[in-house]
Amino acid sequence: MGQTAKAVAEALRASDGVRTAPLKAVVQTRMEPEAVDALVAALPGPDEIAATWCLKALAETGRLPAGALTLSFAALPKLSEPDAILHILQMVQHAPDLARPIRAAIVPLAGHPKLLVTVWAFDAYCRITPAGEEADREARIRQGLIHRSKAMQARARALAREFGVNLPQ
């Protein structure tokens, strides 16, 4: 038997926002469908950081169903905690096609006060670029390469390699 919705709810409530061991324990075993539903249902809300951390961990291992990914992405505009927003943005790399509908919600995050949110909003935006707008994506990646932030530059280099943008010599 896998993790239940009750076990998930208990882990989310017990999360202190610092230690991830209790959350790892939840996502390291098989998740019952209602347990995944419980994670998604926690968005937005007081447990959104812990819930998005778990959802991201599941997405990273390919264990988050498409429906849960879609609902997680749809919750992005309603999230209030920067870490929860960051987790959702980081999930985009695992399912960019499912994230395309939230493109408009990603745009205002480009100037977020938390630098990592800005960096991952940039990453997500580049990944969900629709067909025909590749020149825009390339231009954005090139801008990221000269950004004042080393984190942004590193993300832009990774995107440049992934999307075949020639780096300046």
Coordinates of all heavy atoms in Angstrom, one line a residue, residues 68-159:
A68 N -2.4 16.1 -12.4 CA -1.9 16.7 -11.3 C -0.9 17.9 -11.6 O -0.9 18.9 -11.0 CB -1.2 15.8 -10.3
L69 N -0.1 17.6 -12.7 CA 0.8 18.6 -13.1 C 0.0 19.8 -13.6 O 0.3 21.0 -13.3 CB 1.7 18.1 -14.3 CG 3.0 17.4 -13.8 CD1 3.5 16.5 -15.0 CD2 4.0 18.4 -13.4
T70 N -1.0 19.6 -14.5 CA -1.8 20.6 -15.0 C -2.5 21.5 -13.9 O -2.5 22.7 -14.0 CB -2.9 20.1 -16.0 OG1 -2.2 19.4 -17.0 CG2 -3.8 21.1 -16.6
L71 N -3.0 20.8 -12.9 CA -3.7 21.5 -11.8 C -2.7 22.3 -11.0 O -3.0 23.4 -10.5 CB -4.5 20.5 -10.9 CG -5.7 19.9 -11.6 CD1 -6.3 18.8 -10.7 CD2 -6.8 21.0 -11.9
S72 N -1.5 21.7 -10.8 CA -0.4 22.4 -10.1 C 0.0 23.7 -10.8 O 0.1 24.8 -10.2 CB 0.8 21.5 -9.9 OG 0.5 20.4 -9.1
F73 N 0.2 23.6 -12.1 CA 0.5 24.8 -12.9 C -0.6 25.8 -12.8 O -0.3 27.0 -12.6 CB 0.8 24.4 -14.3 CG 2.0 23.6 -14.5 CD1 2.1 22.6 -15.5 CD2 3.2 23.8 -13.8 CE1 3.2 21.9 -15.7 CE2 4.3 23.1 -14.0 CZ 4.4 22.1 -15.0
A74 N -1.8 25.4 -12.9 CA -3.0 26.3 -12.8 C -3.0 27.1 -11.5 O -3.6 28.2 -11.4 CB -4.3 25.6 -13.1
A75 N -2.5 26.5 -10.4 CA -2.5 27.1 -9.1 C -1.5 28.3 -9.0 O -1.6 29.1 -8.1 CB -2.3 26.1 -8.0
L76 N -0.5 28.3 -9.9 CA 0.5 29.3 -9.8 C 0.1 30.7 -9.5 O 0.6 31.3 -8.6 CB 1.4 29.3 -11.1 CG 2.6 30.3 -11.1 CD1 3.6 30.0 -10.0 CD2 3.2 30.4 -12.4
P77 N -0.9 31.3 -10.2 CA -1.3 32.7 -10.0 C -1.9 32.9 -8.6 O -1.9 34.0 -8.1 CB -2.3 33.0 -11.0 CG -2.2 31.9 -12.0 CD -1.6 30.7 -11.4
K78 N -2.3 31.8 -7.9 CA -3.0 32.0 -6.6 C -2.0 31.8 -5.5 O -2.4 32.0 -4.3 CB -4.1 30.9 -6.5 CG -5.2 31.1 -7.6 CD -6.2 29.9 -7.5 CE -6.8 29.7 -8.8 NZ -6.8 28.3 -9.3
L79 N -0.8 31.3 -5.7 CA 0.2 31.1 -4.7 C 0.7 32.4 -4.1 O 0.9 33.3 -4.9 CB 1.3 30.2 -5.2 CG 0.9 28.8 -5.7 CD1 2.1 28.0 -6.3 CD2 0.2 28.0 -4.6
S80 N 1.0 32.4 -2.8 CA 1.5 33.6 -2.2 C 2.9 33.5 -1.7 O 3.6 34.5 -1.6 CB 0.6 34.0 -1.0 OG 0.5 33.0 -0.1
E81 N 3.4 32.3 -1.5 CA 4.7 32.1 -0.9 C 5.8 32.0 -2.0 O 5.6 31.1 -2.9 CB 4.8 30.9 0.0 CG 3.9 31.0 1.2 CD 4.4 32.0 2.2 OE1 5.6 32.3 2.2 OE2 3.6 32.6 2.9
P82 N 6.8 32.8 -2.0 CA 7.9 32.7 -3.0 C 8.4 31.3 -3.2 O 8.7 30.9 -4.3 CB 8.9 33.7 -2.5 CG 8.2 34.7 -1.7 CD 7.1 33.9 -1.0
D83 N 8.6 30.5 -2.1 CA 9.2 29.2 -2.3 C 8.2 28.3 -3.0 O 8.6 27.4 -3.8 CB 9.6 28.6 -0.9 CG 10.8 29.2 -0.4 OD1 11.6 29.9 -1.1 OD2 11.1 29.0 0.8
A84 N 6.9 28.4 -2.8 CA 5.9 27.6 -3.5 C 5.9 28.0 -5.0 O 5.8 27.1 -5.8 CB 4.5 27.8 -2.9
I85 N 6.0 29.3 -5.2 CA 6.0 29.8 -6.6 C 7.3 29.2 -7.3 O 7.2 28.7 -8.4 CB 6.0 31.3 -6.7 CG1 4.7 31.8 -6.2 CG2 6.3 31.8 -8.1 CD1 4.7 33.3 -5.9
L86 N 8.4 29.2 -6.6 CA 9.6 28.7 -7.2 C 9.5 27.2 -7.5 O 9.9 26.8 -8.6 CB 10.8 28.9 -6.1 CG 12.1 28.3 -6.5 CD1 12.7 29.0 -7.7 CD2 13.1 28.5 -5.3
H87 N 8.9 26.4 -6.6 CA 8.8 25.0 -6.9 C 7.9 24.7 -8.1 O 8.3 23.9 -8.9 CB 8.1 24.3 -5.7 CG 8.9 24.3 -4.4 ND1 8.3 24.3 -3.2 CD2 10.2 24.4 -4.2 CE1 9.3 24.4 -2.3 NE2 10.4 24.4 -2.9
I88 N 6.9 25.5 -8.3 CA 6.0 25.3 -9.5 C 6.8 25.7 -10.7 O 6.8 25.0 -11.8 CB 4.7 26.1 -9.4 CG1 3.8 25.6 -8.2 CG2 3.9 26.0 -10.7 CD1 3.3 24.2 -8.3
L89 N 7.5 26.8 -10.7 CA 8.3 27.2 -11.8 C 9.4 26.2 -12.2 O 9.6 25.9 -13.4 CB 9.0 28.6 -11.6 CG 8.1 29.8 -11.5 CD1 8.8 31.0 -11.0 CD2 7.4 30.0 -12.8
Q90 N 10.0 25.5 -11.2 CA 11.0 24.5 -11.4 C 10.4 23.3 -12.0 O 11.0 22.5 -12.7 CB 11.7 24.2 -10.1 CG 12.7 25.3 -9.7 CD 13.3 25.1 -8.3 OE1 12.6 24.6 -7.4 NE2 14.5 25.6 -8.2
M91 N 9.1 23.0 -11.8 CA 8.4 21.9 -12.3 C 8.2 22.0 -13.9 O 8.0 21.0 -14.5 CB 7.1 21.7 -11.6 CG 7.2 21.2 -10.2 SD 5.6 21.2 -9.3 CE 4.5 20.4 -10.3
V92 N 8.2 23.2 -14.4 CA 7.9 23.4 -15.8 C 8.9 22.6 -16.7 O 8.5 22.1 -17.7 CB 8.0 24.9 -16.1 CG1 7.9 25.2 -17.6 CG2 6.8 25.6 -15.4
Q93 N 10.1 22.5 -16.2 CA 11.1 21.8 -17.0 C 10.7 20.3 -17.3 O 11.2 19.7 -18.2 CB 12.5 21.9 -16.4 CG 12.6 21.2 -15.1 CD 13.9 21.5 -14.4 OE1 15.0 21.3 -15.0 NE2 13.9 21.8 -13.1
H94 N 9.9 19.8 -16.4 CA 9.5 18.4 -16.5 C 8.2 18.2 -17.4 O 7.9 17.1 -17.8 CB 9.3 17.8 -15.1 CG 10.5 17.9 -14.3 ND1 11.7 17.3 -14.5 CD2 10.7 18.7 -13.2 CE1 12.6 17.6 -13.6 NE2 12.0 18.5 -12.8
A95 N 7.5 19.3 -17.7 CA 6.3 19.2 -18.5 C 6.0 20.5 -19.1 O 4.9 21.1 -18.9 CB 5.1 18.7 -17.6
P96 N 6.9 21.0 -20.0 CA 6.6 22.4 -20.5 C 5.3 22.5 -21.4 O 4.7 23.5 -21.3 CB 7.9 22.6 -21.4 CG 8.5 21.3 -21.6 CD 8.1 20.5 -20.4
D97 N 5.0 21.4 -22.0 CA 3.7 21.5 -22.8 C 2.5 21.7 -22.0 O 1.6 22.4 -22.3 CB 3.6 20.2 -23.7 CG 4.6 20.1 -24.8 OD1 5.2 21.1 -25.1 OD2 4.8 19.0 -25.3
L98 N 2.5 21.1 -20.8 CA 1.4 21.2 -19.9 C 1.4 22.6 -19.2 O 0.3 23.0 -18.7 CB 1.4 20.1 -18.8 CG 1.2 18.7 -19.3 CD1 1.3 17.7 -18.2 CD2 -0.1 18.5 -20.0
A99 N 2.5 23.2 -19.2 CA 2.6 24.5 -18.5 C 2.3 25.7 -19.5 O 2.1 26.8 -19.0 CB 4.0 24.7 -18.0
R100 N 2.2 25.5 -20.7 CA 1.9 26.6 -21.7 C 0.8 27.5 -21.3 O 0.8 28.7 -21.5 CB 1.8 26.1 -23.1 CG 3.1 25.8 -23.7 CD 3.2 25.8 -25.2 NE 4.5 25.6 -25.6 CZ 5.1 24.4 -25.8 NH1 4.3 23.4 -25.8 NH2 6.4 24.3 -26.1
P101 N -0.3 26.9 -20.8 CA -1.5 27.8 -20.4 C -1.2 28.8 -19.4 O -1.9 29.8 -19.2 CB -2.6 26.8 -20.0 CG -2.2 25.5 -20.7 CD -0.7 25.5 -20.7
I102 N -0.1 28.7 -18.6 CA 0.2 29.6 -17.5 C 1.2 30.7 -18.0 O 1.7 31.4 -17.1 CB 0.6 28.9 -16.2 CG1 1.9 28.2 -16.4 CG2 -0.5 28.1 -15.7 CD1 2.7 27.8 -15.1
R103 N 1.5 30.7 -19.2 CA 2.5 31.7 -19.7 C 2.3 33.1 -19.2 O 3.2 33.8 -18.8 CB 2.6 31.6 -21.2 CG 3.7 32.4 -21.8 CD 3.8 32.2 -23.3 NE 5.0 32.7 -23.9 CZ 5.2 33.3 -25.0 NH1 4.1 33.5 -25.8 NH2 6.4 33.6 -25.5
A104 N 1.0 33.6 -19.3 CA 0.7 34.9 -18.9 C 1.0 35.1 -17.4 O 1.3 36.2 -17.0 CB -0.7 35.3 -19.2
A105 N 0.8 34.1 -16.6 CA 1.1 34.2 -15.1 C 2.6 34.2 -14.8 O 3.0 34.7 -13.8 CB 0.4 33.0 -14.4
I106 N 3.4 33.8 -15.7 CA 4.8 33.7 -15.5 C 5.4 35.1 -15.8 O 6.4 35.5 -15.1 CB 5.5 32.6 -16.4 CG1 5.0 31.3 -15.9 CG2 7.0 32.8 -16.4 CD1 5.5 30.1 -16.8
V107 N 4.9 35.8 -16.8 CA 5.5 37.1 -17.2 C 5.7 38.1 -16.0 O 6.8 38.6 -15.8 CB 4.6 37.8 -18.3 CG1 5.1 39.2 -18.6 CG2 4.7 36.9 -19.5
P108 N 4.7 38.3 -15.1 CA 5.0 39.3 -14.0 C 6.0 38.8 -13.0 O 6.5 39.6 -12.2 CB 3.6 39.4 -13.4 CG 2.7 38.5 -14.0 CD 3.4 37.9 -15.2
L109 N 6.3 37.5 -13.0 CA 7.3 37.0 -12.0 C 8.7 37.4 -12.4 O 9.7 37.2 -11.7 CB 7.1 35.5 -11.9 CG 5.8 35.1 -11.3 CD1 5.7 33.5 -11.4 CD2 5.6 35.6 -9.9
A110 N 8.9 37.9 -13.6 CA 10.3 38.2 -14.1 C 10.9 39.3 -13.3 O 12.2 39.3 -13.2 CB 10.2 38.7 -15.6
G111 N 10.2 40.1 -12.5 CA 10.8 41.1 -11.7 C 10.6 40.8 -10.2 O 10.5 41.7 -9.4
H112 N 10.4 39.6 -9.9 CA 10.1 39.2 -8.5 C 11.2 39.6 -7.5 O 12.4 39.5 -7.9 CB 9.8 37.7 -8.4 CG 9.1 37.2 -7.2 ND1 9.8 37.0 -6.0 CD2 7.8 37.0 -6.9 CE1 9.0 36.7 -5.1 NE2 7.8 36.7 -5.6
P113 N 10.9 40.0 -6.3 CA 11.9 40.4 -5.4 C 12.9 39.3 -5.0 O 14.0 39.5 -4.6 CB 11.1 40.8 -4.1 CG 9.7 41.1 -4.6 CD 9.5 40.3 -5.8
K114 N 12.4 38.0 -5.1 CA 13.3 36.9 -4.8 C 14.0 36.5 -6.1 O 13.3 36.0 -7.0 CB 12.5 35.7 -4.2 CG 13.4 34.6 -3.7 CD 12.6 33.5 -2.9 CE 13.5 32.5 -2.5 NZ 12.9 31.5 -1.6
L115 N 15.3 36.6 -6.1 CA 16.0 36.4 -7.3 C 15.8 35.0 -7.9 O 15.6 34.9 -9.2 CB 17.5 36.6 -7.1 CG 18.4 36.3 -8.3 CD1 18.1 37.2 -9.4 CD2 19.9 36.4 -7.9
L116 N 15.7 34.0 -7.1 CA 15.5 32.6 -7.7 C 14.2 32.5 -8.4 O 14.0 31.7 -9.4 CB 15.7 31.5 -6.7 CG 17.2 31.2 -6.3 CD1 17.3 30.1 -5.3 CD2 17.9 30.8 -7.6
V117 N 13.2 33.2 -7.9 CA 11.9 33.2 -8.6 C 12.0 33.8 -10.0 O 11.5 33.3 -11.0 CB 10.8 33.9 -7.8 CG1 9.5 34.1 -8.6 CG2 10.5 33.1 -6.5
T118 N 12.8 34.9 -10.0 CA 13.0 35.6 -11.3 C 13.8 34.7 -12.3 O 13.4 34.6 -13.4 CB 13.8 36.9 -11.1 OG1 13.0 37.8 -10.3 CG2 14.2 37.6 -12.4
V119 N 14.8 34.0 -11.8 CA 15.6 33.1 -12.6 C 14.8 32.0 -13.1 O 14.8 31.7 -14.3 CB 16.8 32.6 -11.8 CG1 17.5 31.5 -12.5 CG2 17.8 33.7 -11.5
W120 N 14.0 31.4 -12.3 CA 13.2 30.2 -12.8 C 12.0 30.6 -13.6 O 11.5 29.9 -14.4 CB 12.8 29.3 -11.6 CG 14.0 28.5 -11.3 CD1 15.0 28.8 -10.3 CD2 14.5 27.3 -11.9 NE1 16.0 27.8 -10.4 CE2 15.7 26.9 -11.3 CE3 14.0 26.5 -13.0 CZ2 16.4 25.8 -11.7 CZ3 14.7 25.4 -13.4 CH2 15.9 25.0 -12.8
A121 N 11.5 31.9 -13.4 CA 10.4 32.4 -14.3 C 11.0 32.6 -15.7 O 10.3 32.2 -16.7 CB 9.9 33.7 -13.7
F122 N 12.2 33.0 -15.8 CA 12.9 33.1 -17.0 C 13.1 31.8 -17.7 O 12.8 31.6 -18.9 CB 14.3 33.8 -16.8 CG 15.3 33.6 -17.9 CD1 15.2 34.3 -19.0 CD2 16.4 32.7 -17.7 CE1 16.2 34.2 -20.0 CE2 17.4 32.6 -18.7 CZ 17.2 33.3 -19.9
D123 N 13.5 30.8 -16.9 CA 13.6 29.4 -17.4 C 12.3 28.9 -17.9 O 12.2 28.4 -19.0 CB 14.2 28.5 -16.3 CG 14.4 27.1 -16.7 OD1 13.4 26.3 -16.7 OD2 15.5 26.7 -17.2
A124 N 11.3 29.0 -17.1 CA 10.0 28.5 -17.5 C 9.4 29.2 -18.8 O 8.9 28.5 -19.7 CB 9.0 28.7 -16.3
Y125 N 9.6 30.5 -18.8 CA 9.1 31.3 -20.0 C 9.8 30.8 -21.2 O 9.2 30.6 -22.3 CB 9.4 32.8 -19.8 CG 8.7 33.6 -20.8 CD1 7.4 34.0 -20.7 CD2 9.4 34.0 -21.9 CE1 6.7 34.7 -21.7 CE2 8.8 34.8 -22.9 CZ 7.4 35.1 -22.8 OH 6.8 35.9 -23.7
C126 N 11.1 30.6 -21.1 CA 11.9 30.1 -22.3 C 11.4 28.7 -22.7 O 11.3 28.4 -23.9 CB 13.4 30.1 -22.0 SG 14.1 31.7 -22.0
R127 N 11.1 27.8 -21.8 CA 10.7 26.5 -22.1 C 9.4 26.4 -22.7 O 9.1 25.4 -23.5 CB 10.8 25.6 -20.8 CG 12.1 25.4 -20.3 CD 12.1 24.5 -19.0 NE 13.5 24.4 -18.5 CZ 14.4 23.6 -19.0 NH1 14.1 22.8 -20.0 NH2 15.6 23.6 -18.5
I128 N 8.5 27.3 -22.4 CA 7.1 27.2 -22.9 C 6.9 28.1 -24.2 O 5.8 28.3 -24.6 CB 6.1 27.5 -21.9 CG1 6.2 28.9 -21.3 CG2 6.1 26.4 -20.7 CD1 5.1 29.3 -20.3
T129 N 8.0 28.6 -24.7 CA 7.9 29.4 -25.9 C 7.2 28.6 -27.0 O 7.6 27.5 -27.4 CB 9.3 29.8 -26.4 OG1 9.9 30.5 -25.4 CG2 9.2 30.6 -27.7
P130 N 6.1 29.2 -27.6 CA 5.4 28.4 -28.6 C 6.2 28.4 -29.9 O 7.1 29.2 -30.2 CB 4.1 29.2 -28.8 CG 4.3 30.5 -28.1 CD 5.5 30.4 -27.2
A131 N 5.8 27.4 -30.8 CA 6.4 27.3 -32.1 C 6.3 28.7 -32.8 O 5.2 29.3 -32.7 CB 5.8 26.2 -32.9
G132 N 7.3 29.0 -33.5 CA 7.3 30.3 -34.3 C 7.9 31.5 -33.5 O 8.1 32.5 -34.1
E133 N 8.1 31.3 -32.2 CA 8.7 32.3 -31.4 C 10.1 32.0 -30.9 O 10.6 32.5 -29.9 CB 7.8 32.7 -30.2 CG 6.5 33.3 -30.7 CD 5.6 33.8 -29.5 OE1 6.2 34.1 -28.4 OE2 4.4 33.8 -29.7
E134 N 10.8 31.1 -31.6 CA 12.1 30.7 -31.2 C 13.1 31.8 -31.2 O 14.1 31.9 -30.4 CB 12.6 29.5 -32.1 CG 11.9 28.2 -31.9 CD 10.6 28.2 -32.8 OE1 10.3 29.1 -33.5 OE2 9.9 27.2 -32.7
A135 N 13.0 32.8 -32.1 CA 13.9 33.9 -32.2 C 13.8 34.8 -30.9 O 14.8 35.2 -30.4 CB 13.6 34.8 -33.4
D136 N 12.5 34.9 -30.4 CA 12.3 35.6 -29.1 C 13.0 34.9 -28.0 O 13.7 35.5 -27.1 CB 10.8 35.8 -28.8 CG 10.6 36.5 -27.5 OD1 11.0 37.6 -27.3 OD2 10.0 35.8 -26.6
R137 N 12.9 33.5 -27.9 CA 13.5 32.7 -26.9 C 15.0 32.9 -27.0 O 15.7 33.1 -25.9 CB 13.1 31.3 -27.0 CG 13.9 30.4 -26.0 CD 13.5 29.0 -26.0 NE 13.6 28.4 -27.3 CZ 12.8 27.4 -27.8 NH1 11.9 26.9 -27.0 NH2 12.9 27.0 -29.0
E138 N 15.6 32.8 -28.1 CA 17.0 33.0 -28.3 C 17.5 34.4 -27.8 O 18.5 34.5 -27.1 CB 17.5 32.8 -29.8 CG 19.0 32.8 -29.9 CD 19.4 32.4 -31.3 OE1 18.8 31.6 -32.0 OE2 20.5 32.9 -31.7
A139 N 16.7 35.4 -28.1 CA 17.1 36.8 -27.7 C 17.0 36.9 -26.2 O 17.9 37.5 -25.6 CB 16.1 37.8 -28.3
R140 N 16.0 36.3 -25.6 CA 15.9 36.3 -24.1 C 17.1 35.5 -23.5 O 17.6 36.0 -22.4 CB 14.6 35.7 -23.7 CG 13.4 36.6 -24.0 CD 12.1 36.0 -23.6 NE 11.0 36.8 -24.1 CZ 10.5 37.9 -23.5 NH1 11.0 38.2 -22.3 NH2 9.5 38.6 -24.0
I141 N 17.4 34.4 -24.0 CA 18.6 33.6 -23.5 C 19.8 34.5 -23.6 O 20.6 34.5 -22.7 CB 18.7 32.3 -24.2 CG1 17.5 31.4 -23.8 CG2 20.0 31.6 -23.9 CD1 17.4 30.1 -24.6
R142 N 20.0 35.1 -24.7 CA 21.2 36.0 -24.9 C 21.2 37.1 -23.9 O 22.3 37.5 -23.3 CB 21.3 36.5 -26.3 CG 21.6 35.5 -27.3 CD 21.9 36.0 -28.7 NE 22.2 35.0 -29.6 CZ 23.2 34.2 -29.7 NH1 24.2 34.4 -28.8 NH2 23.4 33.3 -30.6
Q143 N 20.1 37.7 -23.6 CA 20.0 38.7 -22.5 C 20.3 38.1 -21.2 O 21.0 38.8 -20.3 CB 18.6 39.3 -22.5 CG 18.2 40.2 -23.6 CD 16.8 40.6 -23.6 OE1 15.9 40.0 -23.0 NE2 16.5 41.7 -24.4
G144 N 19.9 36.9 -20.9 CA 20.2 36.3 -19.6 C 21.7 36.0 -19.5 O 22.2 36.0 -18.3
L145 N 22.4 35.8 -20.6 CA 23.8 35.6 -20.5 C 24.6 36.8 -20.0 O 25.7 36.6 -19.5 CB 24.4 35.1 -21.9 CG 23.9 33.8 -22.4 CD1 24.3 33.6 -23.9 CD2 24.5 32.6 -21.6
I146 N 24.0 38.0 -20.2 CA 24.8 39.2 -19.7 C 24.1 39.8 -18.5 O 24.4 40.9 -18.1 CB 24.9 40.2 -20.9 CG1 23.5 40.6 -21.4 CG2 25.8 39.6 -22.0 CD1 23.6 41.7 -22.4
H147 N 23.1 39.1 -17.9 CA 22.4 39.6 -16.7 C 23.5 39.8 -15.6 O 24.5 39.1 -15.5 CB 21.4 38.6 -16.3 CG 20.4 39.2 -15.3 ND1 20.6 39.1 -14.0 CD2 19.2 39.8 -15.5 CE1 19.6 39.6 -13.4 NE2 18.7 40.1 -14.2
R148 N 23.2 40.8 -14.7 CA 24.1 41.0 -13.6 C 24.2 39.9 -12.6 O 25.2 39.7 -11.9 CB 23.7 42.3 -12.9 CG 22.4 42.2 -12.1 CD 22.0 43.6 -11.5 NE 20.9 43.5 -10.6 CZ 19.6 43.1 -10.9 NH1 19.3 42.9 -12.1 NH2 18.7 43.1 -10.0
S149 N 23.2 39.0 -12.6 CA 23.2 37.9 -11.6 C 23.9 36.7 -12.2 O 23.6 36.3 -13.3 CB 21.7 37.6 -11.3 OG 21.6 36.3 -10.8
K150 N 24.8 36.1 -11.4 CA 25.5 34.9 -11.8 C 24.5 33.7 -11.9 O 24.6 32.9 -12.8 CB 26.6 34.5 -10.8 CG 27.7 35.6 -10.8 CD 28.4 35.7 -12.1 CE 29.6 36.7 -12.0 NZ 30.1 37.0 -13.3
A151 N 23.5 33.7 -11.1 CA 22.4 32.7 -11.1 C 21.7 32.7 -12.5 O 21.4 31.7 -13.1 CB 21.5 32.8 -10.0
M152 N 21.4 33.9 -12.9 CA 20.7 34.1 -14.2 C 21.6 33.7 -15.3 O 21.1 33.0 -16.3 CB 20.2 35.6 -14.3 CG 19.4 35.8 -15.6 SD 17.8 35.0 -15.7 CE 16.8 36.1 -14.7
Q153 N 22.8 34.1 -15.3 CA 23.8 33.7 -16.3 C 23.9 32.2 -16.4 O 23.9 31.6 -17.5 CB 25.1 34.3 -16.0 CG 25.2 35.8 -16.2 CD 26.5 36.5 -15.8 OE1 27.5 35.8 -15.6 NE2 26.5 37.8 -15.5
A154 N 24.0 31.5 -15.3 CA 24.1 30.1 -15.3 C 22.9 29.4 -15.9 O 23.0 28.5 -16.7 CB 24.3 29.6 -13.8
R155 N 21.7 29.9 -15.5 CA 20.4 29.3 -16.1 C 20.4 29.6 -17.6 O 20.0 28.7 -18.3 CB 19.2 30.0 -15.4 CG 17.9 29.4 -15.7 CD 17.5 28.2 -14.9 NE 18.5 27.2 -14.5 CZ 18.6 26.0 -15.1 NH1 17.9 25.6 -16.1 NH2 19.5 25.1 -14.7
A156 N 20.8 30.8 -18.0 CA 20.8 31.1 -19.4 C 21.8 30.2 -20.2 O 21.5 29.8 -21.3 CB 21.2 32.6 -19.6
R157 N 23.0 29.9 -19.6 CA 23.9 29.0 -20.2 C 23.3 27.6 -20.4 O 23.5 27.0 -21.4 CB 25.2 28.9 -19.5 CG 26.2 30.1 -19.7 CD 27.6 29.9 -19.2 NE 27.6 29.6 -17.7 CZ 27.6 30.5 -16.8 NH1 27.5 31.8 -17.1 NH2 27.6 30.1 -15.5
A158 N 22.6 27.2 -19.4 CA 22.0 25.8 -19.4 C 20.9 25.8 -20.5 O 20.8 24.8 -21.3 CB 21.4 25.5 -18.1
L159 N 20.1 26.9 -20.6 CA 19.1 27.0 -21.6 C 19.7 27.1 -23.0 O 19.2 26.5 -24.0 CB 18.2 28.1 -21.4 CG 17.2 28.0 -20.2 CD1 16.6 29.3 -19.8 CD2 16.1 27.0 -20.5

